[in-house]
Amino acid sequence: MIGNLPFVVCMILIGLGLWTLLSRRNLIKLAIGITLIECGVNLFLVTLGYVERGVAPIYTYTQPGVTMVLPTPQALTLTSIVIGMATTALMLAFAVVIYRHRGTLDARKIRELKG
Amino acid sequence: MNIGIHLPILAIAVPLLGAFALPIFAKVHKRLRDMWAAAVGAFTCAMVIALAIQVLSTGVVVYTLGAASPTQAVTQGGFPIRIVLTVDGMSAFMGLISALVGLASLIYAFQFLKEDQGKTLAMTLFFLLWAGMLGMEYTGDMFNFFVFLEVTSIAACALIGYRTWESRPAEAAFKTMALYTLGGLLVLLAVAILYGQYGALNIAYLSSRIRGSQLDKIALGLLLGGLLMKAGAVPAHMWAPDAYGEAPAQAAMVLVANTQASLYGLWRVLFTLFGGALAAPAVGWLVVSLGTLTLLVAVLMAILQRDLGRLIAYGAVSQIGYMLLGVGVGLVALASRPDFGLVAMQGGIFHMLNDAATVGLLMLAAGVVRRATGTKDLTALGGLGHDLKWTGGFFFLGALALAGVPPFNGFASKLLIYESSFRLSPLLTAIGVLGSILLLAVFARAFQGVFLGPRLRAAQSPPVGMLVAMGLLAAVILAMGLAPGFFVEHLVTPAARALWEGRDLYLAAVLGG
């Protein structure tokens, strides 16, 4: 019924994230861009496991003959969300440290390392 | 319990447990923590070596997690649903590199790190990074590979930026984290695309199904981009000099081994996962051109550096270029299989071991310089050879080996790359030789500037533990330089053959028959 629409939405999210990474200079916004890409990829994984009229894959609760959804993509997404939380937390922690030392979050103004 | 069949998982689980138990032991007593770290390090190295011997003598080792028997990878119907670890010649070889680098880093860290500057933290993160690297190298499952990739990303970036009392490490860590995460997400997207098409994550099963459809090509492109980003190849190399320059010395050398684990992932994807569908040499040419570009850009950037750490970092990036060049030539030749293809692969893969040892040695020597003088600025350093005789000698050895001067190990592997890439195009060889000459000039200037000349200030010589770590790497470099034939025959050739023609064996070992 909805066809490929969810996949299109995922790609739009990933594209928005990439655009944020390329166009923004604020460290927090860069972290948001990474998170957007992550959301797109996670949604893509969940969409892959979607089955129309599918039910949760718990054998003891379902009637015979009902289509079940595949649990693997959901397990993958869960793992990916946990990893994403760790990376986002670490990036924001670094942003806090940078702000404490320099008093700014502008990536153009904090370039001590170059060349 | 027969420990022999559980070696692959134990080699990952032991450093992981070691990492998380380390802070608890540190709370009890610092001596207890050091003993625990030494025991975990020694045990991990012993298991990696035992596993390598097992693989080299009996062939591919498959370990299935959660099955009744660890050797039972496929369920009834020939479909692998469980997570498997698959260790072939190439994985075993990479495990040995990680073990060597990890051991040297650990020995060095005991006396290099200071208690009041997060020693427990750095050692915990090191073990986490080590476990992640071994996981990337031993896994036979694409999603598992992504998870270990992210474990190394998080541990590596925390190691770069844990010194929050300085401002520069955090900047380097943020930049590295952004690129690592982006690379990891590209890999995950590729894994999702492959899963969506074939409903499996097992590398061997996917490899038997991939036919090179349009979606497969997109997945291959994403994997190439993501893994090259993490390996620090030009044009995604910006993080590498910052990270290597700002991370403490013992961590920087493990970061180099981590980039090689990513390169290993790339070889695995190109040769095993896409090995059947990848007949066109276009991808090989892409890898070759990225390799030559990487080595040229990195060497030219090394000339401009004023900081010893960043200079070595660009040297390390340039070596990634040589590996890409060697294996890329092998990939171009994969379809028609002439002799020089295997020679190029041997050169590129041998160079990974050489690079881990030589760049590691240079970084450890730079760490001694930084510890003795408090700076890595080349314009402020000079005459340290009067006090740091051993360190100067080790730096000199590392510099010669990195530039590929005979009779050191860098020459042995670069010669293999040159003579095979010459058969493909003499231009590639010319660029490679030019890179080596420039590298020699850069490092000769750095050695002369830091260690020779009049004594500017008194420098305290490093403790024995740090010298032992450097001595271990120097001994490996000398052994590989004096007897390259032995190493090529017993370690490198099985690894190169595992990629070059071992795909069928790899598939048969996991899927049976």
Side-chain angles (χ1 to χ4, degrees):
Chain A
M1 192 113 97
I2 44 176
N4 287 332
L5 200 61
F7 295 107
V8 175
V9 172
C10 299
M11 292 307 143
I12 290 174
L13 268 179
I14 294 173
L16 278 176
L18 284 174
W19 180 68
T20 312
L21 282 187
L22 292 174
S23 65
R24 300 292 134 151
R25 289 288 168 266
N26 186 306
L27 296 187
I28 304 285
K29 287 182 182 163
L30 291 181
I32 292 174
I34 295 264
T35 318
L36 271 177
I37 300 178
E38 209 175 275
C39 290
V41 177
N42 285 341
L43 268 178
F44 183 69
L45 268 171
V46 169
T47 315
L48 285 177
Y50 175 75
V51 177
E52 214 158 328
R53 292 181 200 283
V55 296
I58 306 169
Y59 275 94
T60 40
Y61 290 107
T62 49
Q63 285 92 30
V66 178
T67 319
M68 294 185 202
V69 298
L70 205 58
T72 319
Q74 296 167 17
L76 303 187
T77 314
L78 207 57
T79 316
S80 167
I81 289 172
V82 172
I83 291 171
M85 190 218 67
T87 49
T88 312
L90 201 57
M91 280 181 74
L92 291 177
F94 290 138
V96 169
V97 173
I98 291 172
Y99 186 79
R100 278 198 189 146
H101 281 286
R102 307 283 170 68
T104 176
L105 283 171
D106 191 334
R108 281 165 301 192
K109 291 182 186 156
I110 51 170
R111 295 186 63 191
E112 273 190 88
L113 305 164
K114 54 185 163 193
Chain B
M1 188 177 83
N2 180 7
I3 203 168
I5 55 170
H6 297 291
L7 282 176
I9 188 67
L10 281 177
I12 302 167
V14 167
L16 205 58
L17 172 73
F20 289 116
L22 198 89
I24 301 173
F25 286 121
K27 285 272 180 233
V28 180
H29 200 278
K30 300 286 181 261
R31 295 283 303 173
L32 189 64
R33 174 201 64 194
D34 289 352
M35 280 159 60
W36 170 254
V40 170
F43 195 52
T44 309
C45 284
M47 282 187 304
V48 169
I49 292 169
L51 183 60
I53 293 171
Q54 199 181 341
V55 169
L56 294 179
S57 55
T58 63
V60 186
V61 170
V62 178
Y63 186 88
T64 315
L65 295 155
S69 146
T71 49
Q72 186 191 355
V74 283
T75 50
Q76 286 170 343
F79 192 76
I81 55 166
R82 296 195 175 88
I83 293 171
V84 294
L85 303 175
T86 318
V87 188
D88 66 351
M90 189 66 213
S91 308
F93 179 76
M94 291 308 299
L96 287 176
I97 294 181
S98 302
L100 172 71
V101 172
L103 188 66
S105 165
L106 191 61
I107 297 172
Y108 190 84
F110 279 125
Q111 289 183 309
F112 177 69
L113 296 171
K114 298 193 178 74
E115 287 297 348
D116 57 348
Q117 296 186 359
K119 185 175 179 178
T120 308
L121 227 149
M123 286 170 95
T124 306
L125 289 169
F126 158 72
F127 277 114
L128 212 54
L129 180 54
W130 208 16
M133 269 157 51
L134 288 170
M136 278 168 79
E137 286 152 10
Y138 288 166
T139 187
D141 181 286
M142 279 317 282
F143 188 74
N144 217 0
F145 179 81
F146 161 75
V147 171
F148 283 121
L149 187 85
E150 289 292 323
V151 168
T152 61
S153 294
I154 293 169
C157 293
L159 259 180
I160 298 163
Y162 77 91
R163 291 170 303 147
T164 49
W165 53 92
E166 290 176 45
S167 64
R168 289 157 60 106
E171 187 189 335
F174 189 92
K175 204 191 251 184
T176 312
M177 191 82 229
L179 277 165
Y180 272 11
T181 312
L182 186 60
L185 287 172
L186 293 183
V187 171
L188 179 62
L189 189 58
V191 172
I193 290 174
L194 290 177
Y195 181 82
Q197 283 190 90
Y198 305 106
L201 295 162
N202 186 298
I203 292 178
Y205 183 81
L206 282 175
S207 173
S208 70
R209 289 300 162 96
I210 286 176
R211 293 282 173 271
S213 67
Q214 203 63 39
L215 277 174
D216 288 340
K217 284 179 188 152
I218 294 173
L220 176 65
L222 290 170
L223 282 167
L224 255 174
L227 290 170
L228 282 175
M229 208 174 266
K230 195 140 191 279
V234 173
H237 66 290
M238 303 83 76
W239 64 269
D242 296 354
Y244 297 164
E246 294 309 318
Q250 102 287 354
M253 70 180 289
V254 188
L255 293 181
V256 174
N258 186 21
T259 61
Q260 294 183 347
S262 307
L263 276 184
Y264 157 79
L266 189 63
W267 306 159
R268 179 62 74 209
V269 164
L270 288 174
F271 286 92
T272 308
L273 189 61
F274 284 87
L278 201 81
V283 181
W285 278 110
L286 181 69
V287 174
V288 166
S289 46
L290 280 175
T292 44
L293 190 68
T294 302
L295 80 91
L296 261 187
V297 170
V299 167
L300 293 176
M301 289 301 287
I303 298 173
L304 304 173
Q305 298 308 313
R306 293 266 172 279
D307 180 291
L308 185 60
R310 293 179 73 82
L311 187 140
I312 298 171
Y314 274 110
V317 174
S318 73
Q319 302 307 302
I320 300 282
Y322 282 100
M323 296 165 209
L324 287 172
L325 175 60
V327 179
V329 169
L331 195 61
V332 172
L334 187 66
S336 51
R337 295 193 180 266
D339 293 338
F340 69 84
L342 184 61
V343 177
M345 304 271 299
Q346 286 171 335
I349 289 166
F350 191 21
H351 204 67
M352 294 171 94
L353 178 57
N354 291 336
D355 171 66
T358 45
V359 173
L361 183 61
L362 287 170
M363 282 174 169
L364 294 188
V368 172
V369 170
R370 169 94 190 248
R371 185 179 188 269
T373 60
T375 178
K376 282 200 274 191
D377 189 352
L378 284 172
T379 50
L381 291 167
L384 289 173
H386 295 283
D387 293 316
L388 305 174
K389 288 196 174 57
W390 279 101
T391 309
F394 287 140
F395 189 90
F396 190 59
L397 175 73
L400 290 184
L402 190 74
V405 176
F408 298 110
N409 58 354
F411 174 71
S413 53
K414 280 184 185 171
L415 187 67
L416 290 173
I417 297 175
Y418 294 156
E419 67 180 26
S420 53
S421 59
F422 188 79
R423 301 273 296 278
L424 195 64
S425 161
L427 183 66
L428 299 175
T429 317
I431 295 174
V433 174
L434 178 71
S436 279
I437 295 169
L438 288 174
L439 213 54
L440 182 63
V442 167
F443 276 92
R445 193 201 62 175
F447 175 76
Q448 191 261 343
V450 174
F451 291 101
L452 302 183
R455 183 188 308 212
L456 296 180
R457 62 182 116 188
Q460 194 194 357
S461 65
V464 185
M466 290 161 67
L467 286 176
V468 168
M470 288 190 283
L472 170 72
L473 291 175
V476 171
I477 289 172
L478 282 176
M480 288 193 297
L482 295 176
F486 174 83
F487 285 90
V488 169
E489 188 186 341
H490 289 98
L491 289 176
V492 177
T493 309
R497 281 192 185 282
L499 291 180
W500 180 249
E501 56 200 4
R503 180 172 163 268
D504 298 334
L505 287 174
Y506 186 96
L507 263 59
V510 178
L511 302 175

